Amino acid sequence: MEVVVVESPAKAKTINKYLGPNYKVFASFGHVRDLPPKDGSVLPDEDFAMSWQVDTASNKRLKEIADAVKTADGLILATDPDREGEAISWHVLEVLAKKKVLKDKPISRVVFNAITKKAVTDAMANPREIDQPLVDAYLARRALDYLVGFNLSPVLWRKLPGARSAGRVQSVTLRLVTDRESEIERFKPEEYWSVIAHLKSEQGASFEAQLNTIDGKKTNKMTLANGEEAGSIKTALEAASFAVTSVEAKPVRRNPPPPFTTSSLQQAASAKLGFAPARTMQIAQKLYEGIDVGGETTGLITYMRTDGVQMAPEAISSSRDAIGQRFGANFVPDKPRHYETKAKNAQEAHEAIRPTDFMRAPDEVKSKLNDEQYKLYDLIWKRSIASQMESAQMERTTAEIEAKGEGRTIGLRASGTVVKFEGFLAAYTEHQDDQKKDDDDSDDDKRLPELKSGETCQKEKIDAEQHHTTPPPRYSEASLIKKMEELGIGRPSTYSATLSTLRDREYVRLEKRALVPEAKGRLVTAFLQDFFERYVEFDFTASLEEKLDKISDGSLQWKDVLRQFWDEFSAQIDSTKELRITNVLDALNERLEPLVFPVREDGSDPRICPKCGEGNLSLKLGKFGSFVGCSNYPECNFTRQLGQEGEGSADALADGPKELGADPFTEEMITLRTGRFGPYVQRGEGKEAKRAGIPKGWDVAEIDHEKALALLALPRDVGEHPETGKMISAGLGRYGPFVLHDGKYANLESAEEVFSIGLNRAVSVIADKAANPGRGRAAPAKALKELGEHPEVGGPISVKDGRYGPYVNHGKINATIPKGTDPQSIDLETAVRMIAERAEKAGKKVGGAATKKKAAPKKKPAAKKKAPAKKPAAKKPAAKKTAAKTADEA
């Protein structure tokens, strides 16, 4: 009997079916060891010795594997075909060697790019040894991430209170987001005008023509800078006669895009399907690991962490057969297409993401997939098959039209495109890039009527429109990943994990699918640019990635790369020891001037305190983070939160509370104030004064007497419940807007609803809550997502949404989902790990009740010896091991 080790239980289950009774397949559940999150895990002075730690859950699994290996004929390591997969196999092998269970047993490493019976059995027939250079590259990355995280982050904590962490890739990615925000802030819109002539051909067909020349001079978008210039052109065209001077038709061929890489899949899934990158990878993981189609579990796509764009020869042949059958022989090109990636530092070791069987069309497996799986598989299948299809053939027609009038000659141009042969467009149409939408002047969707040189055209109307240039858009997650790939920052397996880290650290937030840097994120970037500039440079990070790639192919020694990096980096860390906080603040004031000193509407100096009129404003660092304060403190106590929404209102409150008017019943003055937790309204003075916070999302500048009275009147009575006769009230609480009846709460959808909800709606919300007890929200209490049975002890695992947020549930065990993590992105493997960690902390047994330590009462000393195992530090590494592979340290 042979023991086979893979990462996930789903993968293990499928492969076990393929291999039969002579094999026993075990899942490692990802990495089995990690660097403990504490000083000393990597020792540069001891030739970069690394200390590895196995968490409790992995210990149990490794024991099971070790016990099986003792009686096995051999060990086969079949983890994923990338650097992380190689590292997992290496870790497993190292642990088993220390347990002394290998002896003289044969050990082999096999890799397969798809989980199909043929791919797996072919791999088993072609074993190899562990790829040590690939492992060395992994070790170098882990050591670098650790050294940066655990040496740079403490500098941030000392010099920049409120900062959470820094990381080798994380900080450079954050810089991309903050640089874009600074670019948007510096942008000054420019006015320009367009003039469009709506014309009709001699045959009566309408079309549009745009300005091309004025009195023989070529025009561009910015030629007409104001309404006066546009008006003169419009007047001339309204009095002009129009004649076609030339018509040119050119054939155009458009070639298909290559099949998906990790990056391009995440971008297309975001644009076409609205999937976040992390969610895309979760769904792709399931499609890769296998779906039951026709009574057999098989992988539907190849490995999804890749930057290669080429397909295997047999896959190309299969795709050409499928194209001929599904679309026709004329859609199959004479020769197969071959692609080369344009991404910086790309490695071609893996295939592109493609279907494992091109004959398995999406509509044939739709009934076997959930909605998200079907959409993603459909996208991958179409893009892959389109990559081997014939080019689209079009005819682009351009007509030049001369307009004469008012003593001027104005040239117009009308363009249009007609598709003569769909080619690959019959299968797949590319999405528009976020960065190009505003400037896309494509005429591909326009058609031009038949025009002849010399014919006259009739004027229908002339339009002159005002425009303003717009700043570059903020990055979406997908467009940021594209930029990271172009610059050579990070690798496919780390993209989504890096973005998740930035959100978890509260350095960025997602706002309408755009990444917006938080104030603390901008502070961290500014600090690093001033005092660690080299380590947030794009070229430096990319060059380091190149060195790591060279380690992978064996052309560089990993410890040589570490030594060179550490010598320079440690010296830079040492240079900050004498750095004074005042030096930091002065540098940040200058670099973040638009954020710290926003321009005032009255034109006054934004650096002068608006309260005392004498002190200078400056960035201050406090226990709870950064803020702007007056240099005349404590005589002047003006403060303003950095990056606070509605900053103008904060300035308005600089002279103290703003009076809104008297309460009509108590005659006490109602004031608008700002405090430690933000703006609020208050009635009266003293400790007993009634206060109410301003709901999130409300513009403080719009708070008036009426709104303040409404806030202070909360909770408000909605009416008596028709069945119980007890009063229903509505208010704002710690967990948001709610209705209350008979001591039980039910959440509302928005703060505005608190003031408008009627009795019927309130009764309905309460009824929903009563029908679904245990929920903190009014929505039905069904699970957000069913993940399946626990692979070890059985029983359903699901993702639920509770009063304190989303969580994973298995029996009586609930594991909270970390803040910033999409509940829909949780898969079975991640959930099983979370359940195991939660059960261990709570002293419970997975699949049962609390563990009873029967031996403890009889052997008290033994119970005391177990106490050290409860140290928090021993539990933290487990939380970092996700299906997304590695992320930056700290």
Side-chain angles (χ1 to χ4, degrees), residues 775-812:
R775 299 237 335 147
R777 294 180 172 84
K782 64 181 181 182
L784 294 177
K785 184 180 179 185
E786 298 290 349
L787 299 177
E789 293 287 313
H790 195 291
E792 296 178 356
V793 298
I797 297 179
S798 60
V799 177
K800 296 184 177 181
D801 198 9
R803 178 177 182 182
Y804 302 103
Y807 62 94
V808 173
N809 168 258
H810 175 252
K812 295 183 179 180

Side-chain angles (χ1 to χ4, degrees), residues 608-616 630-632 635-636 638 654-655:
I608 299 298
C609 177
K611 184 174 182 180
C612 69
E614 298 177 356
N616 291 315
C630 180
S631 60
N632 283 342
E635 287 77 15
C636 177
F638 171 80
D655 294 322

Side-chain angles (χ1 to χ4, degrees), residues 82-98:
D82 60 1
R83 182 185 60 250
E84 293 298 317
E86 206 73 21
I88 291 171
S89 286
W90 176 80
H91 276 299
V92 170
L93 196 59
E94 288 277 300
V95 173
L96 294 179
K98 288 182 179 180

Side-chain angles (χ1 to χ4, degrees), residues 151-152 155 158 532 568-577:
N151 287 279
L152 187 51
V155 175
R158 291 192 299 268
F532 291 89
E568 299 173 354
F569 183 68
S570 59
Q572 188 71 31
I573 293 288
D574 291 340
S575 71
T576 64
K577 289 181 178 178

